[in-house]
Amino acid sequence: MGQNLRVKFLGVRGSYPVCSREFLRFGGNTPSVLLEFEDTAIIFDAGTGIINAVKELKNKDFIWIFLSHLHQDHIEGYPFFILNEEIRRKIDTFGPNFRKGFFRILSTYFSYSFSPIPFKRFMKRESIFGLNGGEIIFTDDNTPQILRRKNVHTKRSFYVESIKMDSHPNDGVLVYKTFLGNRSIVYATDVELNNNVIKIMIEFCRNADILIHDSQYTDEEYFSNANPKKGFGHSTWRLACELAKKSEVKRLILFHHDPFHSDGEIEKIEREAKKVFSNSYAAYENMEMEL
């Protein structure tokens, strides 16, 4: 396919949004990443960054939102994006169908106790699709199709593949790989790369053009004697670099920055990461890439 595939980072911060002068370069909005080509827009996660996507979508006929999981920092921008009067197209949302079900959990978040606007006002049930991991999602006349059959994607030029990772509390997360022609992008946030997970991730990420991966912690924070972050469900930048090398991806984007990390600290992480995997880049708000 000859289409250009544009990637834009709308929010790159983890856990909760931050706002002060030491976060200006990399930004303080929580996770949201936009992929677009021709009349299609795909948005990964709906943290506060998604609110800035509205101005990017004026010429898009349909919009797909893929949620990795339903922790607050990944969905807190969702209602403000959906309700924007400029978004008048059909929007489909995909996310984890773990335990109580995707639609039920998502709608509960917007119950009267938490939101002044009822969920049914801005989303229809038929536009919500629960995933368990292992699905292939593609479009047929702008209508989502979801299959679990292996190799169905070999005859399609555009599709999204999902996989479930269990290393993030409490139910795990969905990791997504988007294919457009011979190009591919992996979105893998809130994944802690323990020994079991990394074996699966190496194959899933194999030869991706871009790997967007959780890199919230430094080694010192992860293995700290006083307050270790191991087991919190996030990776270090070094673990992400090791995955990038072993899966032979072309570019690694360090993502889900810790809310305590200042611009200077993230710049240092990027410098150190490049020593391990030279094509490493720390994500920042409004950062753009094109394939």
Side-chain angles (χ1 to χ4, degrees), residues 219 236-246 249 252 254 268-281:
D219 288 351
T236 67
W237 62 263
R238 190 180 298 277
L239 287 169
C241 287
E242 292 297 332
L243 172 62
K245 286 199 298 185
K246 291 176 180 178
V249 304
L252 169 65
L254 306 172
K268 180 181 178 182
I269 286 171
E270 183 181 59
R271 288 194 301 270
E272 293 300 312
K274 285 182 177 295
K275 296 176 184 178
V276 180
F277 185 76
S278 59
N279 284 335
S280 297
Y281 306 90

mmCIF file of all heavy atoms in Angstrom, residues 219 236-246 249 252 254 268-281:
data_model
loop_
_atom_site.group_PDB
_atom_site.id
_atom_site.type_symbol
_atom_site.label_atom_id
_atom_site.label_comp_id
_atom_site.label_asym_id
_atom_site.label_seq_id
_atom_site.Cartn_x
_atom_site.Cartn_y
_atom_site.Cartn_z
ATOM 1 N N ASP A 219 16.382 1.593 36.526
ATOM 2 C CA ASP A 219 16.794 0.393 37.260
ATOM 3 C C ASP A 219 16.829 0.656 38.757
ATOM 4 O O ASP A 219 16.449 -0.201 39.564
ATOM 5 C CB ASP A 219 18.190 -0.054 36.801
ATOM 6 C CG ASP A 219 18.173 -0.662 35.408
ATOM 7 O OD1 ASP A 219 17.069 -0.889 34.869
ATOM 8 O OD2 ASP A 219 19.264 -0.906 34.858
ATOM 9 N N THR A 236 11.163 -0.998 33.012
ATOM 10 C CA THR A 236 12.219 -0.001 33.006
ATOM 11 C C THR A 236 12.584 0.302 31.556
ATOM 12 O O THR A 236 12.286 -0.469 30.650
ATOM 13 C CB THR A 236 13.479 -0.523 33.723
ATOM 14 O OG1 THR A 236 14.037 -1.611 32.955
ATOM 15 C CG2 THR A 236 13.147 -1.019 35.120
ATOM 16 N N TRP A 237 13.290 1.410 31.361
ATOM 17 C CA TRP A 237 13.743 1.721 30.007
ATOM 18 C C TRP A 237 14.712 0.659 29.512
ATOM 19 O O TRP A 237 14.729 0.329 28.322
ATOM 20 C CB TRP A 237 14.374 3.109 29.960
ATOM 21 C CG TRP A 237 15.604 3.286 30.806
ATOM 22 C CD1 TRP A 237 15.681 3.820 32.056
ATOM 23 C CD2 TRP A 237 16.943 2.903 30.459
ATOM 24 N NE1 TRP A 237 16.966 3.806 32.526
ATOM 25 C CE2 TRP A 237 17.777 3.253 31.556
ATOM 26 C CE3 TRP A 237 17.527 2.315 29.347
ATOM 27 C CZ2 TRP A 237 19.144 3.022 31.573
ATOM 28 C CZ3 TRP A 237 18.900 2.082 29.346
ATOM 29 C CH2 TRP A 237 19.690 2.425 30.449
ATOM 30 N N ARG A 238 15.492 0.074 30.415
ATOM 31 C CA ARG A 238 16.468 -0.935 30.003
ATOM 32 C C ARG A 238 15.769 -2.218 29.524
ATOM 33 O O ARG A 238 16.174 -2.835 28.533
ATOM 34 C CB ARG A 238 17.430 -1.262 31.151
ATOM 35 C CG ARG A 238 18.603 -2.133 30.698
ATOM 36 C CD ARG A 238 19.534 -2.422 31.868
ATOM 37 N NE ARG A 238 20.119 -1.209 32.414
ATOM 38 C CZ ARG A 238 21.187 -0.612 31.917
ATOM 39 N NH1 ARG A 238 21.786 -1.095 30.828
ATOM 40 N NH2 ARG A 238 21.679 0.485 32.480
ATOM 41 N N LEU A 239 14.722 -2.626 30.230
ATOM 42 C CA LEU A 239 13.954 -3.801 29.802
ATOM 43 C C LEU A 239 13.338 -3.565 28.425
ATOM 44 O O LEU A 239 13.320 -4.462 27.578
ATOM 45 C CB LEU A 239 12.869 -4.125 30.825
ATOM 46 C CG LEU A 239 13.334 -4.749 32.145
ATOM 47 C CD1 LEU A 239 12.186 -4.761 33.154
ATOM 48 C CD2 LEU A 239 13.870 -6.156 31.929
ATOM 49 N N ALA A 240 12.834 -2.354 28.209
ATOM 50 C CA ALA A 240 12.253 -2.030 26.902
ATOM 51 C C ALA A 240 13.328 -2.095 25.810
ATOM 52 O O ALA A 240 13.071 -2.592 24.701
ATOM 53 C CB ALA A 240 11.615 -0.644 26.945
ATOM 54 N N CYS A 241 14.517 -1.616 26.109
ATOM 55 C CA CYS A 241 15.614 -1.671 25.134
ATOM 56 C C CYS A 241 16.005 -3.107 24.815
ATOM 57 O O CYS A 241 16.292 -3.448 23.657
ATOM 58 C CB CYS A 241 16.832 -0.923 25.670
ATOM 59 S SG CYS A 241 16.654 0.878 25.677
ATOM 60 N N GLU A 242 16.048 -3.956 25.831
ATOM 61 C CA GLU A 242 16.389 -5.356 25.605
ATOM 62 C C GLU A 242 15.346 -6.032 24.719
ATOM 63 O O GLU A 242 15.684 -6.828 23.832
ATOM 64 C CB GLU A 242 16.513 -6.090 26.941
ATOM 65 C CG GLU A 242 17.691 -5.648 27.793
ATOM 66 C CD GLU A 242 19.032 -5.924 27.135
ATOM 67 O OE1 GLU A 242 19.128 -6.881 26.332
ATOM 68 O OE2 GLU A 242 19.995 -5.170 27.400
ATOM 69 N N LEU A 243 14.081 -5.720 24.945
ATOM 70 C CA LEU A 243 13.027 -6.258 24.092
ATOM 71 C C LEU A 243 13.194 -5.761 22.663
ATOM 72 O O LEU A 243 13.052 -6.540 21.708
ATOM 73 C CB LEU A 243 11.652 -5.851 24.631
ATOM 74 C CG LEU A 243 10.460 -6.190 23.737
ATOM 75 C CD1 LEU A 243 10.333 -7.693 23.526
ATOM 76 C CD2 LEU A 243 9.162 -5.612 24.320
ATOM 77 N N ALA A 244 13.487 -4.489 22.491
ATOM 78 C CA ALA A 244 13.659 -3.922 21.155
ATOM 79 C C ALA A 244 14.784 -4.623 20.396
ATOM 80 O O ALA A 244 14.664 -4.922 19.205
ATOM 81 C CB ALA A 244 13.932 -2.424 21.250
ATOM 82 N N LYS A 245 15.879 -4.896 21.082
ATOM 83 C CA LYS A 245 17.005 -5.586 20.443
ATOM 84 C C LYS A 245 16.631 -7.010 20.050
ATOM 85 O O LYS A 245 16.881 -7.444 18.922
ATOM 86 C CB LYS A 245 18.210 -5.608 21.391
ATOM 87 C CG LYS A 245 18.923 -4.285 21.529
ATOM 88 C CD LYS A 245 20.319 -4.456 22.090
ATOM 89 C CE LYS A 245 20.312 -5.043 23.475
ATOM 90 N NZ LYS A 245 21.692 -5.096 24.049
ATOM 91 N N LYS A 246 16.021 -7.739 20.984
ATOM 92 C CA LYS A 246 15.724 -9.149 20.748
ATOM 93 C C LYS A 246 14.635 -9.347 19.695
ATOM 94 O O LYS A 246 14.629 -10.358 18.992
ATOM 95 C CB LYS A 246 15.319 -9.816 22.059
ATOM 96 C CG LYS A 246 16.484 -9.944 23.043
ATOM 97 C CD LYS A 246 16.028 -10.518 24.370
ATOM 98 C CE LYS A 246 17.209 -10.633 25.330
ATOM 99 N NZ LYS A 246 16.796 -11.141 26.674
ATOM 100 N N VAL A 249 13.245 -4.687 16.284
ATOM 101 C CA VAL A 249 12.411 -3.589 15.798
ATOM 102 C C VAL A 249 13.311 -2.484 15.259
ATOM 103 O O VAL A 249 14.509 -2.430 15.564
ATOM 104 C CB VAL A 249 11.488 -3.046 16.911
ATOM 105 C CG1 VAL A 249 10.633 -4.159 17.506
ATOM 106 C CG2 VAL A 249 12.292 -2.357 18.013
ATOM 107 N N LEU A 252 12.468 2.287 18.827
ATOM 108 C CA LEU A 252 11.829 2.129 20.133
ATOM 109 C C LEU A 252 11.434 3.496 20.663
ATOM 110 O O LEU A 252 12.264 4.413 20.713
ATOM 111 C CB LEU A 252 12.795 1.460 21.118
ATOM 112 C CG LEU A 252 12.367 1.469 22.598
ATOM 113 C CD1 LEU A 252 11.106 0.639 22.815
ATOM 114 C CD2 LEU A 252 13.514 0.969 23.483
ATOM 115 N N LEU A 254 10.177 5.265 24.018
ATOM 116 C CA LEU A 254 10.021 5.136 25.463
ATOM 117 C C LEU A 254 8.787 5.921 25.884
ATOM 118 O O LEU A 254 8.660 7.112 25.594
ATOM 119 C CB LEU A 254 11.272 5.649 26.169
ATOM 120 C CG LEU A 254 12.596 5.010 25.713
ATOM 121 C CD1 LEU A 254 13.772 5.742 26.341
ATOM 122 C CD2 LEU A 254 12.634 3.531 26.029
ATOM 123 N N LYS A 268 17.943 12.312 30.369
ATOM 124 C CA LYS A 268 19.013 11.421 30.804
ATOM 125 C C LYS A 268 18.673 9.980 30.466
ATOM 126 O O LYS A 268 19.536 9.218 29.987
ATOM 127 C CB LYS A 268 19.256 11.580 32.306
ATOM 128 C CG LYS A 268 20.359 10.682 32.832
ATOM 129 C CD LYS A 268 20.559 10.854 34.335
ATOM 130 C CE LYS A 268 21.639 9.905 34.852
ATOM 131 N NZ LYS A 268 21.808 10.028 36.318
ATOM 132 N N ILE A 269 17.427 9.581 30.703
ATOM 133 C CA ILE A 269 16.986 8.220 30.369
ATOM 134 C C ILE A 269 17.154 7.958 28.878
ATOM 135 O O ILE A 269 17.646 6.900 28.467
ATOM 136 C CB ILE A 269 15.516 8.023 30.801
ATOM 137 C CG1 ILE A 269 15.428 7.897 32.324
ATOM 138 C CG2 ILE A 269 14.905 6.786 30.121
ATOM 139 C CD1 ILE A 269 14.016 7.907 32.866
ATOM 140 N N GLU A 270 16.783 8.934 28.058
ATOM 141 C CA GLU A 270 16.922 8.767 26.611
ATOM 142 C C GLU A 270 18.391 8.571 26.225
ATOM 143 O O GLU A 270 18.712 7.710 25.391
ATOM 144 C CB GLU A 270 16.328 9.968 25.882
ATOM 145 C CG GLU A 270 16.359 9.838 24.366
ATOM 146 C CD GLU A 270 15.778 11.054 23.679
ATOM 147 O OE1 GLU A 270 16.310 12.171 23.914
ATOM 148 O OE2 GLU A 270 14.801 10.914 22.929
ATOM 149 N N ARG A 271 19.280 9.351 26.804
ATOM 150 C CA ARG A 271 20.710 9.224 26.495
ATOM 151 C C ARG A 271 21.226 7.839 26.875
ATOM 152 O O ARG A 271 21.975 7.204 26.118
ATOM 153 C CB ARG A 271 21.510 10.314 27.230
ATOM 154 C CG ARG A 271 21.326 11.706 26.677
ATOM 155 C CD ARG A 271 22.389 12.644 27.211
ATOM 156 N NE ARG A 271 22.390 12.758 28.665
ATOM 157 C CZ ARG A 271 21.678 13.653 29.355
ATOM 158 N NH1 ARG A 271 20.895 14.501 28.703
ATOM 159 N NH2 ARG A 271 21.743 13.692 30.674
ATOM 160 N N GLU A 272 20.834 7.372 28.056
ATOM 161 C CA GLU A 272 21.287 6.058 28.504
ATOM 162 C C GLU A 272 20.692 4.944 27.646
ATOM 163 O O GLU A 272 21.362 3.958 27.337
ATOM 164 C CB GLU A 272 20.912 5.859 29.979
ATOM 165 C CG GLU A 272 21.646 6.772 30.941
ATOM 166 C CD GLU A 272 23.154 6.574 30.878
ATOM 167 O OE1 GLU A 272 23.613 5.413 30.923
ATOM 168 O OE2 GLU A 272 23.876 7.591 30.760
ATOM 169 N N ALA A 273 19.430 5.110 27.249
ATOM 170 C CA ALA A 273 18.770 4.096 26.422
ATOM 171 C C ALA A 273 19.471 3.950 25.072
ATOM 172 O O ALA A 273 19.602 2.837 24.542
ATOM 173 C CB ALA A 273 17.302 4.453 26.233
ATOM 174 N N LYS A 274 19.903 5.048 24.500
ATOM 175 C CA LYS A 274 20.577 5.006 23.199
ATOM 176 C C LYS A 274 21.876 4.205 23.244
ATOM 177 O O LYS A 274 22.328 3.672 22.223
ATOM 178 C CB LYS A 274 20.843 6.427 22.707
ATOM 179 C CG LYS A 274 19.600 7.140 22.176
ATOM 180 C CD LYS A 274 19.936 8.524 21.671
ATOM 181 C CE LYS A 274 18.711 9.221 21.077
ATOM 182 N NZ LYS A 274 18.223 8.535 19.861
ATOM 183 N N LYS A 275 22.492 4.115 24.413
ATOM 184 C CA LYS A 275 23.706 3.320 24.548
ATOM 185 C C LYS A 275 23.401 1.827 24.464
ATOM 186 O O LYS A 275 24.267 1.023 24.085
ATOM 187 C CB LYS A 275 24.381 3.627 25.889
ATOM 188 C CG LYS A 275 24.869 5.061 26.028
ATOM 189 C CD LYS A 275 25.441 5.307 27.419
ATOM 190 C CE LYS A 275 25.841 6.769 27.603
ATOM 191 N NZ LYS A 275 26.346 7.023 28.983
ATOM 192 N N VAL A 276 22.161 1.457 24.814
ATOM 193 C CA VAL A 276 21.752 0.055 24.782
ATOM 194 C C VAL A 276 21.098 -0.293 23.450
ATOM 195 O O VAL A 276 21.376 -1.331 22.850
ATOM 196 C CB VAL A 276 20.783 -0.253 25.944
ATOM 197 C CG1 VAL A 276 20.351 -1.720 25.921
ATOM 198 C CG2 VAL A 276 21.427 0.100 27.276
ATOM 199 N N PHE A 277 20.208 0.587 22.994
ATOM 200 C CA PHE A 277 19.531 0.424 21.700
ATOM 201 C C PHE A 277 19.535 1.792 21.030
ATOM 202 O O PHE A 277 18.832 2.707 21.460
ATOM 203 C CB PHE A 277 18.102 -0.092 21.897
ATOM 204 C CG PHE A 277 17.380 -0.391 20.617
ATOM 205 C CD1 PHE A 277 17.664 -1.545 19.888
ATOM 206 C CD2 PHE A 277 16.420 0.486 20.122
ATOM 207 C CE1 PHE A 277 16.989 -1.820 18.697
ATOM 208 C CE2 PHE A 277 15.746 0.226 18.937
ATOM 209 C CZ PHE A 277 16.038 -0.939 18.221
ATOM 210 N N SER A 278 20.348 1.951 20.012
ATOM 211 C CA SER A 278 20.648 3.280 19.471
ATOM 212 C C SER A 278 19.430 4.021 18.939
ATOM 213 O O SER A 278 19.365 5.246 19.010
ATOM 214 C CB SER A 278 21.711 3.181 18.379
ATOM 215 O OG SER A 278 21.274 2.344 17.321
ATOM 216 N N ASN A 279 18.453 3.312 18.414
ATOM 217 C CA ASN A 279 17.254 3.970 17.880
ATOM 218 C C ASN A 279 16.162 4.077 18.935
ATOM 219 O O ASN A 279 15.010 3.713 18.702
ATOM 220 C CB ASN A 279 16.740 3.229 16.651
ATOM 221 C CG ASN A 279 17.576 3.503 15.414
ATOM 222 O OD1 ASN A 279 18.230 4.548 15.323
ATOM 223 N ND2 ASN A 279 17.587 2.577 14.481
ATOM 224 N N SER A 280 16.532 4.554 20.104
ATOM 225 C CA SER A 280 15.586 4.793 21.196
ATOM 226 C C SER A 280 15.274 6.278 21.281
ATOM 227 O O SER A 280 16.177 7.115 21.186
ATOM 228 C CB SER A 280 16.175 4.322 22.537
ATOM 229 O OG SER A 280 16.405 2.938 22.548
ATOM 230 N N TYR A 281 13.997 6.594 21.502
ATOM 231 C CA TYR A 281 13.565 7.988 21.592
ATOM 232 C C TYR A 281 12.509 8.111 22.687
ATOM 233 O O TYR A 281 11.578 7.300 22.755
ATOM 234 C CB TYR A 281 12.972 8.466 20.261
ATOM 235 C CG TYR A 281 13.898 8.262 19.091
ATOM 236 C CD1 TYR A 281 13.859 7.081 18.352
ATOM 237 C CD2 TYR A 281 14.831 9.231 18.735
ATOM 238 C CE1 TYR A 281 14.722 6.870 17.289
ATOM 239 C CE2 TYR A 281 15.697 9.033 17.669
ATOM 240 C CZ TYR A 281 15.636 7.849 16.950
ATOM 241 O OH TYR A 281 16.498 7.641 15.899
#
